[in-house]
Amino acid sequence: MEKGNYSLVTEFILIGLTDQPEFQLPFFFLFLGMYIVTVMGNLGMVILIGLSSNLQNPMYYFLCNLSFIDLCQSTVITPKMLVNFVSDKNTISYSNCMTQFYFFGFFAISECQMLAVMAYDRYVAISHPLRYSLIMSYQVCTCLVGWVYSLGLVGATAHTGCMLRVFFCKENAINHYFCDLLPLLKLSCSSTYVNEVVTLASSIFNIFFPTLTIIFSYIFIITSILKIQSTEGRSKAFSTCSSHIVAVGVFFGSLAFMYLQPSSVSSMAKVSSVFYTIIVPLLNPLIYSLRNKDVKIALRKVIERRIL
């Protein structure tokens, strides 16, 4: 039987976070509330940056795109999970599973690259403040954002193209709450060698390189901050990138825990996945708004204009 582009499985069963009935309804309301806050926070951040003239600079341009990515990432995963909490049959068709897998890959890769771009932006702002507007021009920022989405498109297309060649013949129960890479590969009846090679290459290009970019950016940032004479100047310089440090730590920490842990620890893998697919999109607008004076001022001005 020819295996390429053919699958006996027409739908998958999503095991979900838990198979215990007493937790389904509480989890439904918990994640529904989190999803509402995520949508309001990220959509609000996109609208606020678009409306506020004092937020029209590279830092907030990248933040606007990060909020858009987080909004879409959460929307790809959470609604289907919510439906499964209240339905008796937690199934997803093969085509819908591949579609979810594609968009999850696209936005996950885009987020990794966007965080690296934001780290580079902070490096230029702190290490080369006099040339910041020249280096991070509108054209450069547009090209960087275009590069981020292009890498997401290429990575998601490569992963999904390889996944479509995988042969699923018997097992169709995905031990997860969405169609993720590793749980899908565990169900394969055919060789996953090509998928593993693509995964390795993608991990190097979309996780290792962005991580290196972030690390080296912050090494140069810390070096520049230490050269500042005044304590107030150091504090102000550090405050401009503290929110990004927190966001990077939560996202890459949970991502590393998910993909670097032993494959047998499936329950912890789900918890880790909740962090980077649901918690991170929820926290990012809170992190960047609560710790950012410019965002607070812009929000207050927008509210005052609407009241008046």
Side-chain angles (χ1 to χ4, degrees):
M1 182 183 294
E2 187 177 346
K3 295 181 180 180
N5 292 327
Y6 181 81
S7 176
L8 291 178
V9 173
T10 58
E11 67 176 15
F12 293 100
I13 299 171
L14 292 169
I15 302 299
L17 284 177
T18 178
D19 56 358
Q20 299 182 35
E22 63 270 21
F23 290 119
Q24 301 297 325
L25 201 57
F27 276 169
F28 171 79
F29 287 111
L30 172 64
F31 286 103
L32 176 62
M34 293 170 68
Y35 180 62
I36 291 172
V37 174
T38 300
V39 171
M40 292 177 62
N42 286 288
L43 188 59
M45 187 68 75
V46 171
I47 295 172
L48 180 63
I49 293 172
L51 293 176
S52 303
S53 58
N54 62 320
L55 298 183
Q56 301 303 311
N57 60 51
M59 174 182 173
Y60 294 107
Y61 176 63
F62 296 135
L63 178 56
C64 180
N65 280 276
L66 180 67
S67 294
F68 171 75
I69 291 169
D70 282 335
L71 174 63
C72 295
Q73 176 80 299
S74 182
T75 302
V76 167
I77 304 296
T78 311
K80 177 59 180 173
M81 183 176 68
L82 291 174
V83 170
N84 288 345
F85 280 137
V86 293
S87 67
D88 296 329
K89 195 176 182 182
N90 301 338
T91 60
I92 183 170
S93 68
Y94 178 85
S95 59
N96 287 344
C97 184
M98 293 300 109
T99 301
Q100 186 186 58
F101 176 72
Y102 176 84
F103 284 106
F104 163 71
F106 173 75
F107 290 115
I109 292 172
S110 297
E111 177 138 3
C112 291
Q113 299 293 345
M114 186 61 71
L115 289 171
V117 167
M118 293 174 74
Y120 173 73
D121 171 69
R122 291 299 83 208
Y123 154 70
V124 176
I126 293 173
S127 299
H128 306 282
L130 298 179
R131 295 192 294 151
Y132 177 65
S133 58
L134 180 64
I135 296 173
M136 301 302 292
S137 64
Y138 175 77
Q139 290 79 8
V140 170
C141 292
T142 303
C143 288
L144 286 173
V145 170
W147 175 248
V148 165
Y149 290 125
S150 296
L151 290 175
L153 183 66
V154 171
T157 302
H159 277 297
T160 308
C162 292
M163 189 63 72
L164 289 172
R165 297 181 61 84
V166 171
F167 186 64
F168 300 102
C169 56
K170 294 180 182 178
E171 294 291 333
N172 70 334
I174 301 174
N175 190 19
H176 217 331
Y177 58 89
F178 71 101
C179 295
D180 197 5
L181 175 66
L182 298 182
L184 279 170
L185 291 181
K186 288 179 182 178
L187 304 180
S188 171
C189 294
S190 59
S191 172
T192 59
Y193 176 76
V194 175
N195 301 75
E196 291 166 6
V197 171
V198 170
T199 300
L200 178 62
S202 180
S203 298
I204 292 172
F205 205 74
N206 296 308
I207 297 179
F208 181 69
F209 283 166
T211 302
L212 277 184
T213 301
I214 292 168
I215 290 172
F216 280 110
S217 293
Y218 277 105
I219 289 175
F220 290 127
I221 286 171
I222 292 170
T223 303
S224 299
I225 290 176
L226 292 177
K227 292 179 181 178
I228 300 174
Q229 298 298 323
S230 66
T231 305
E232 183 182 351
R234 289 182 183 179
S235 177
K236 185 177 180 181
F238 183 76
S239 66
T240 62
C241 53
S242 59
S243 298
H244 183 257
I245 293 174
V246 174
V248 166
V250 174
F251 181 77
F252 280 99
S254 58
L255 203 64
F257 186 82
M258 169 65 186
Y259 291 104
L260 298 181
Q261 67 175 327
S263 58
S264 58
V265 192
S266 59
S267 59
M268 292 306 297
K270 292 180 185 180
V271 173
S272 178
S273 295
V274 168
F275 266 89
Y276 71 82
T277 60
I278 298 173
I279 303 296
V280 168
L282 170 71
L283 290 180
N284 275 348
L286 299 177
I287 291 171
Y288 284 102
S289 60
L290 296 177
R291 298 177 61 88
N292 192 302
K293 186 166 63 176
D294 292 337
V295 173
K296 293 178 183 178
I297 293 172
L299 180 60
R300 187 166 59 247
K301 287 182 178 179
V302 169
I303 293 174
E304 287 174 355
R305 284 204 303 265
R306 291 296 176 268
I307 293 175
L308 297 176

